Amino acid sequence: MLRPPLLTFILLLLAAPFVAPLAAPLAAQRDARLMVALPAEVELTRRAPAVSAQNVLGDRRLEELLHSGFPARLHFKVELWSADGVFDALKSEAEWDVIVRYNPLERRYSAARIVEEHAVSLGSSTSFDSVQAAVARPYRPSIRLPSGSGRFYYIVMLDVEMLSVNDIDEVERWLRGELSPAVRGERSAGTALSRGAKTLVTRLLGGRSQHYEARTRVFRGK
Amino acid sequence: MRTIVIACCGLLLCTTTAGAQVADTTLRADTLSYDDAAEVAYLYNLPAALRATRDLTVPGSQTVEGDLSVLEASLTVAGHVTGRVVVINGDVTLSPGARIDGDLVVTGGEVHGADSASVGGALKLYRPVMLYRLEGDRVVAVRDEGRNVANWFRRWKRRHERSVSRIKLKGGTYNRVEGMPVLFGPSIRSNNALGPLRVEALGIYRSADGFAWKGDNLGYTANAEMQFGYGRGVAVGVDAFDVVQAAEPWQLRDSEIGLASFFLRRDYRDYYNRKGWRGYLAFREGKSLSLTLGYSRERWQPRAARDPFTLFRNSADWRANPVMDAGRFELVDATIAYDTRNNVDNPWTGWLIVANVEHGWSPEVLLGPASPAARPEPSSPASLDYTRGFLDARRYNRISPQSQLNLRLVLGGWLGGDALPLERRFALGGAGTLPGYDFRDATSGPDVLTCNDGTAIPGSPAQCERMALLQAEYRGNLRFHLFGGAGAEGWNWSFYHPLQWVVFADAGRGWLLHEHDGDGLLRGTSTFPSLDTFKSDIGIGLDAEVLGVFIAKSLTDAGNPINFSVRLRHRF
């Protein structure tokens, strides 16, 4: 017998393919894209793929938060997988961050790429579009194919978050019933509850903390 | 002869000096501070006889009367500049015989040929590119925010690892015995040369019975730990506690228990009171491997369910909290944790293994109610001396770029000595183990999920002495390419919404270590139960990484209805 919750579930299941794309534009405003491009065939073993994130700060809420002084963190992770065995194997990975900040005094945006302990300025500008363009410049991380032949593919993940709001942590604290956000942020428990609920919803809809993923085709290494 | 040699040397020296007059002060720096940049900008903005923003050459026949400034371009000097030369973000080439009477200041470039030219003033070369903005024709230096951002980000990433002293206020997991436990007290972390020292002492005040000030609502937990080494090292610590402890915390997450209790008045755990202290020694290899050895002396006491507020079904009764065994226990335990997952929240490959062995003993234990089958020879009070093991092993496997097959094996139970106390027994069934079966719901035939023989015991306690559970799930990404696809020049890209479909199957059962033979006598057994006695289910669901909805159907009990469950994060 179908019980009411089950009926709801089946409706959810049927509606998902239609609902999810409706939610997607929240995060995909202004055509946000994460892209990964393989090097030329002859350079596959010598060069890393080029990673580029375009318009990922284009969400108006992100832009408003950034303009209010909250730094944005773009956390990139590239994984190289081998597709030869029964199970795909993770061969190597590389991570880096891009931090974008707005200085209200100088009215300038600035961006920096941070790889391990090394930072490279990506530029500084009074124009939001210019700093977006700087962030979108392709970058080749230090990741290489292993020696020997095989079938491989790269997966690139990007998480965009505003650093003052670590969404998942806050939601989990809220779900555990902790009052820490209210205490730490000097806001009321009621506010913490409503923020937690709002964060959960926005996160589910691909909101303030956004996740992107892209991958290359499976290719053969030399 | 000697006079001639000295004269020749002197002439040679004079000739050399005249050909390449090295600047009095030479600075070649690999850094460019904001103050230096501001100084360069100031010099550039001073009135100049010649200004250029394109590559410029001063021929050998030319003399520039005054200063020369170049922006974002290269400069070649073969002639004579009577003043200062400032080049922002460009190279300078000095031809043999070139002459600059004033300073030569260069940022973001190189100076070639200085050895064969004459620079009357100081030569200052800053190799980093200078950041600036233009206000009309004026150059204004800009701080290198990139470096500042990097420094700030490093501090932000290490914010949880800094020395800190604070008053902590936090809530525990909402449940039917405590309501909301509120923890309050000082917390200190101090980093020193040996490693981090952590001290925390929190009082516990429970919300049940309207925050009444009474013994049941008060408790504490304190911890002091010194770790020798950062990341990897050896830690020594001691805990003191008077807390309400969950009996089987491995089945569902704290967040799930708290939500189900607070919203739906359904609490899927049993609890007892733990009061005492514990010392431990931990060997830690980063976040991937740890071994902890502990010794504790503690008193266990049953706790009754109370009536904390819930958002819905507030008039319904809570499930009783089973009365468990009571007594003073001494425990020694060893726990190994091994974690090679590529991502803790959303793993695609790797192992997570947690194994624990505990030996406990007590001279006098008041036994809680259990069914005759589960505890055939009750003589309370009794002495207990037992050994128990527990293993939770998970393997995550990627089988294609968009799908994965994950497996989990959970084993637990008696390893030696007397029968296990109720606090250490097992039960299966419910969203965390066999979602096709309701939590603590008697199955048809022998009860292999709670190991009850039909005796009515308030709260339906877990009574199995051993348990085995196998879970498997296949996950596939649901990808939406509304905004993605293959672009020109070989670009592949996509917008990804973290949604997966899941197909899963579970099988498991619990069992007792004795059984009635044909004559009705009890006899011990150590055989593994036949696989056809296991309970199993299958199900499907949608998982949005932080929230999943699932339906499951029992395979071994056709009469069981389809169950619906909501999980936070993945099933395991």
Side-chain angles (χ1 to χ4, degrees):
Chain A
M1 191 178 85
L2 291 184
R3 297 191 290 184
L6 179 58
L7 198 59
T8 309
F9 174 80
I10 291 173
L11 288 175
L12 274 174
L13 203 65
L14 293 173
F18 304 99
V19 172
L22 294 178
L26 283 174
Q29 287 177 8
R30 297 170 67 172
D31 208 7
R33 298 176 178 188
L34 174 65
M35 302 187 288
V36 54
L38 288 173
E41 202 72 28
V42 293
E43 294 184 314
L44 274 175
T45 54
R46 287 184 282 117
R47 296 193 84 188
V51 177
S52 173
Q54 294 188 352
N55 287 327
V56 290
L57 296 172
D59 184 314
R60 194 192 303 167
R61 284 172 300 174
L62 282 181
E63 189 176 342
E64 285 171 2
L65 284 169
L66 192 62
H67 210 258
S68 303
F70 299 110
R73 177 194 189 189
L74 283 65
H75 181 71
F76 292 85
K77 185 174 186 183
V78 177
E79 294 177 340
L80 172 64
W81 290 80
S82 158
D84 284 327
V86 177
F87 300 123
D88 295 0
L90 179 61
K91 290 297 182 183
S92 61
E93 56 189 16
E95 294 181 75
W96 70 98
D97 291 281
V98 171
I99 303 296
V100 182
R101 285 208 310 186
Y102 179 73
N103 185 333
L105 290 178
E106 295 188 1
R107 285 181 287 181
R108 294 184 71 81
Y109 298 92
S110 57
R113 181 188 302 116
I114 300 164
V115 186
E116 294 176 348
E117 293 297 308
H118 304 290
V120 176
S121 173
L122 296 179
S124 152
S125 170
T126 55
S127 158
F128 182 69
D129 288 339
S130 297
V131 82
Q132 280 241 71
V135 169
R137 269 182 231 134
Y139 172 69
R140 294 185 190 276
S142 59
I143 189 168
R144 297 284 185 278
L145 285 184
S147 56
S149 62
R151 296 164 63 242
F152 302 93
Y153 57 92
Y154 290 101
I155 288 185
V156 185
M157 287 155 281
L158 165 63
D159 289 291
V160 182
E161 63 171 341
M162 307 309 291
L163 288 187
S164 59
V165 186
N166 196 333
D167 292 335
I168 278 294
D169 287 350
E170 190 154 338
V171 169
E172 288 198 332
R173 280 195 293 272
W174 172 68
L175 293 173
R176 284 202 306 266
E178 293 188 8
L179 299 173
S180 309
V183 175
R184 193 184 60 244
E186 295 179 350
R187 64 178 104 95
S188 71
T191 308
L193 284 173
S194 64
R195 279 177 63 88
K198 193 172 156 189
T199 304
L200 180 61
V201 172
T202 54
R203 165 100 179 150
L204 285 175
L205 295 180
R208 203 164 45 215
S209 179
Q210 298 168 354
H211 179 84
Y212 299 87
E213 196 165 313
R215 68 174 176 84
T216 66
R217 62 181 168 80
V218 178
F219 58 92
R220 186 163 289 283
K222 299 294 180 188
Chain B
M1 183 65 181
R2 183 180 297 168
T3 306
I4 294 172
V5 171
I6 292 173
C8 289
C9 289
L11 185 64
L12 187 64
L13 187 63
C14 289
T15 307
T16 306
T17 306
Q21 185 181 334
V22 180
D24 295 339
T25 308
T26 300
L27 168 71
R28 294 174 190 271
D30 290 324
T31 59
L32 177 63
S33 70
Y34 172 74
D35 291 340
D36 292 332
E39 171 73 12
V40 172
Y42 169 79
L43 296 175
Y44 177 89
N45 293 329
L46 290 174
L50 182 59
R51 238 176 240 288
T53 54
R54 292 181 180 176
D55 291 351
L56 176 69
T57 299
V58 178
S61 57
Q62 186 179 349
T63 298
V64 177
E65 298 288 346
D67 296 343
L68 170 59
S69 299
V70 178
L71 180 65
E72 298 287 353
S74 298
L75 171 67
T76 302
V77 179
H80 181 198
V81 180
T82 64
R84 178 192 308 110
V85 173
V86 178
V87 178
I88 294 178
N89 300 346
D91 293 328
V92 174
T93 302
L94 301 176
S95 302
R99 187 173 157 200
I100 298 171
D101 294 344
D103 298 339
L104 172 59
V105 182
V106 180
T107 70
E110 279 293 342
V111 175
H112 308 288
D115 293 343
S116 58
S118 167
V119 178
L123 192 162
K124 295 182 179 177
L125 170 62
Y126 302 97
R127 291 198 174 87
V129 172
M130 178 175 148
L131 299 177
Y132 66 92
R133 68 173 185 272
L134 286 173
E135 292 183 357
D137 290 336
R138 289 173 52 78
V139 167
V140 178
V142 170
R143 291 181 190 278
D144 183 358
E145 283 292 326
R147 205 165 294 139
N148 293 342
V149 166
N151 291 334
W152 172 85
F153 183 61
R154 276 188 213 109
R155 288 197 303 275
W156 183 85
K157 282 216 301 191
R158 294 171 184 158
R159 66 198 184 283
H160 297 307
E161 299 164 7
R162 291 199 293 261
S163 294
V164 63
S165 302
R166 59 182 172 171
I167 298 296
K168 187 182 275 190
L169 172 62
K170 66 176 187 176
T173 304
Y174 203 84
N175 64 78
R176 69 188 187 284
V177 171
E178 301 177 281
M180 164 75 82
V182 179
L183 290 82
F184 177 80
S187 175
I188 298 169
R189 177 188 166 113
S190 174
N191 296 329
N192 55 59
L194 296 176
L197 169 68
R198 299 183 193 87
V199 180
E200 189 171 87
L202 306 177
I204 301 173
Y205 188 29
R206 301 178 177 112
S207 71
D209 299 336
F211 281 106
W213 187 264
K214 58 182 184 180
D216 274 357
N217 274 357
L218 302 176
Y220 59 85
T221 177
N223 168 258
E225 180 189 287
M226 177 68 213
Q227 180 170 314
F228 299 92
Y230 290 89
R232 60 188 297 185
V234 178
V236 183
V238 61
D239 296 322
F241 44 81
D242 180 0
V243 295
V244 170
Q245 176 72 44
E248 283 189 284
W250 60 274
Q251 298 190 352
L252 292 170
R253 297 178 184 88
D254 288 352
S255 50
E256 294 168 322
I257 294 294
L259 266 186
S261 299
F262 182 72
F263 283 97
L264 304 174
R265 211 176 179 81
R266 293 199 168 104
D267 190 342
Y268 299 109
R269 283 178 180 167
D270 296 333
Y271 304 90
Y272 63 102
N273 202 84
R274 242 179 112 204
K275 182 177 182 180
W277 63 270
R278 177 174 186 263
Y280 61 89
L281 180 66
F283 303 88
R284 294 173 183 151
E285 178 69 42
K287 292 177 180 173
S288 62
L289 182 64
S290 69
L291 167 65
T292 306
L293 307 172
Y295 169 77
S296 62
R297 297 173 68 106
E298 49 195 84
R299 181 177 187 82
W300 296 352
Q301 289 283 349
R303 295 292 299 243
R306 291 149 90 188
D307 189 24
F309 166 82
T310 58
L311 209 53
F312 303 108
R313 302 177 67 238
N314 208 28
S315 57
D317 290 331
W318 286 99
R319 181 172 65 89
N321 189 46
V323 175
M324 298 195 195
D325 300 345
R328 292 182 185 280
F329 283 81
E330 287 182 71
L331 307 165
V332 291
D333 66 276
T335 302
I336 289 180
Y338 178 61
D339 186 355
T340 63
R341 293 172 296 174
N342 68 321
N343 185 314
V344 172
D345 294 326
N346 191 25
W348 280 82
T349 185
W351 288 96
L352 174 62
I353 299 174
V354 178
N356 167 266
V357 176
E358 177 185 280
H359 179 63
W361 65 96
S362 173
E364 188 174 286
V365 179
L366 289 173
L367 301 179
S371 66
R375 192 175 263 163
E377 295 165 350
S379 60
S380 186
S383 65
L384 282 186
D385 188 327
Y386 70 90
T387 303
R388 173 196 190 259
F390 180 81
L391 170 72
D392 185 348
R394 310 175 191 190
R395 174 67 202 181
Y396 300 89
N397 306 291
R398 182 168 224 145
I399 54 177
S400 81
Q402 299 185 55
S403 59
Q404 60 183 146
L405 177 65
N406 304 327
L407 303 167
R408 182 190 192 190
L409 174 67
V410 187
L411 299 172
W414 177 91
L415 293 178
D418 298 322
L420 296 175
L422 288 178
E423 285 86 345
R424 293 294 185 259
R425 297 202 180 199
F426 301 92
L428 297 177
T433 54
L434 291 164
Y437 290 85
D438 288 340
F439 181 77
R440 300 290 165 88
D441 191 28
T443 56
S444 59
D447 179 4
V448 298
L449 298 184
T450 62
C451 299
N452 194 0
D453 63 1
T455 309
I457 305 172
S460 304
Q463 300 181 60
C464 299
E465 289 176 291
R466 278 187 179 162
M467 165 275 302
L469 172 70
L470 180 64
Q471 296 182 302
E473 64 176 22
Y474 179 89
R475 296 177 163 274
N477 279 355
L478 283 170
R479 298 172 71 92
F480 300 103
H481 287 272
L482 283 183
F483 307 100
E489 298 168 359
W491 287 97
N492 296 306
W493 60 273
S494 66
F495 171 76
Y496 173 77
H497 193 77
L499 191 65
Q500 292 182 308
W501 58 274
V502 185
V503 178
F504 61 88
D506 312 287
R509 68 160 289 176
W511 66 95
L512 299 167
L513 292 170
H514 48 263
E515 58 187 20
H516 290 275
D517 61 15
D519 301 326
L521 298 173
L522 278 171
R523 62 179 177 81
T525 176
S526 59
T527 56
F528 193 81
S530 166
L531 290 180
D532 59 11
T533 63
F534 275 59
K535 299 293 181 183
S536 61
D537 62 24
I538 58 169
I540 58 171
L542 282 176
D543 188 334
E545 195 174 339
V546 292
L547 190 75
V549 288
F550 304 92
I551 55 171
K553 177 73 179 80
S554 160
L555 287 177
T556 40
D557 290 274
N560 275 17
I562 293 174
N563 279 348
F564 169 78
S565 59
V566 177
R567 300 293 307 272
L568 299 179
R569 296 221 181 262
H570 300 317
R571 293 174 70 237
F572 61 87

